[in-house]
Amino acid sequence: ETAVFQTPNYHVTQVGNEVSFNCKQTLGHDTMYWYKQDSKKLLKIMFSYNNKQLIVNETVPRRFSPQSSDKAHLNLRIKSVEPEDSAVYLCASSAGGAQDTQYFGPGTRLLVL
Amino acid sequence: GDSVTQTEGLVTLTKGLPVMLNCTYQTTYSPFLFWYVQHLNEAPKLLLKSSTDNKRTEHQGFYATLHKSSSSFHLQKSSVQLSDSALYFCALSTNYNVLYFGSGTKLTVEP
């Protein structure tokens, strides 16, 4: 099956903890992304990676750090979570061109208590 | 900077009626426009896309035409179905190849 896979589905944690989310794509794409979808359903780009290299960082707080071991994997680490980090984090991949369709994973829902 | 505006937050219609969801954008680059649909508790999925001025693009009964003169890419369907109830996002891609999404329109179709 070719798709974008994310783990975990759901994570609950306390303020100040560190969390990590995983994303893997089996579509053979070169470019991967992290988006944040907040409680109002607003979707915003966080990071873009092309073949393990950071391309775009959209003014994301320093406590967020993406990590890519190869072009099929893009993880997201949050060093010290804050309440406003509660959201759904969506991973996506594409062939990398502006006209190319981005395929989204099911998302990781983070709740910070 | 690049941005997308969707003016309707909520649209409620009776099955069988036509719908138009508005989308306008701002960019100084050559635009690629997308409509994504997100059903409840699912990932956003591409509905249709275009970068060609004044050419209608269609998929699954939905259609849209990119008008660069008015910076618009409105989504239409002639007869909505119950299964069309979902969140619809208009999105813009330019030279950085990331998607800038509008605020979304929640479409609810009633029997």
Side-chain angles (χ1 to χ4, degrees), chain A residues 3 33 37 49 67 94 98 103 108:
Chain A
Y33 313 82
Q37 186 167 37
Y49 262 73
Q67 298 162 324
S94 80
Y103 295 85
T108 293

Side-chain angles (χ1 to χ4, degrees), chain A residues 37 58 96 98-99 101-102 105, chain B residues 36 38 43 49 93-94 97 100:
Chain A
Q37 186 167 37
E58 281 281 322
Q99 74 282 3
T101 300
Q102 292 190 20
Chain B
Y36 278 80
Q38 187 177 27
K49 64 180 179 181
S93 176
T94 59
N97 304 343
Y100 295 99

Side-chain angles (χ1 to χ4, degrees), chain A residues 6 90-91 103-107, chain B residues 37-45:
Chain A
Q6 291 185 242
L90 289 160
C91 177
Y103 295 85
F104 286 83
Chain B
V37 57
Q38 187 177 27
H39 287 94
L40 192 60
N41 297 323
E42 293 185 10
K45 290 180 186 173

Side-chain angles (χ1 to χ4, degrees), chain B residues 5 18 31 35 59 92 98:
Chain B
T5 301
W35 276 100
H59 186 63
L92 167 70
V98 297

Side-chain angles (χ1 to χ4, degrees), chain B residues 46-63:
Chain B
L46 178 73
L47 185 55
L48 46 81
K49 64 180 179 181
S50 180
S51 60
T52 307
D53 200 9
N54 298 319
K55 183 181 176 185
R56 176 164 150 160
T57 183
E58 299 187 37
H59 186 63
Q60 295 181 339
F62 286 91
Y63 58 95

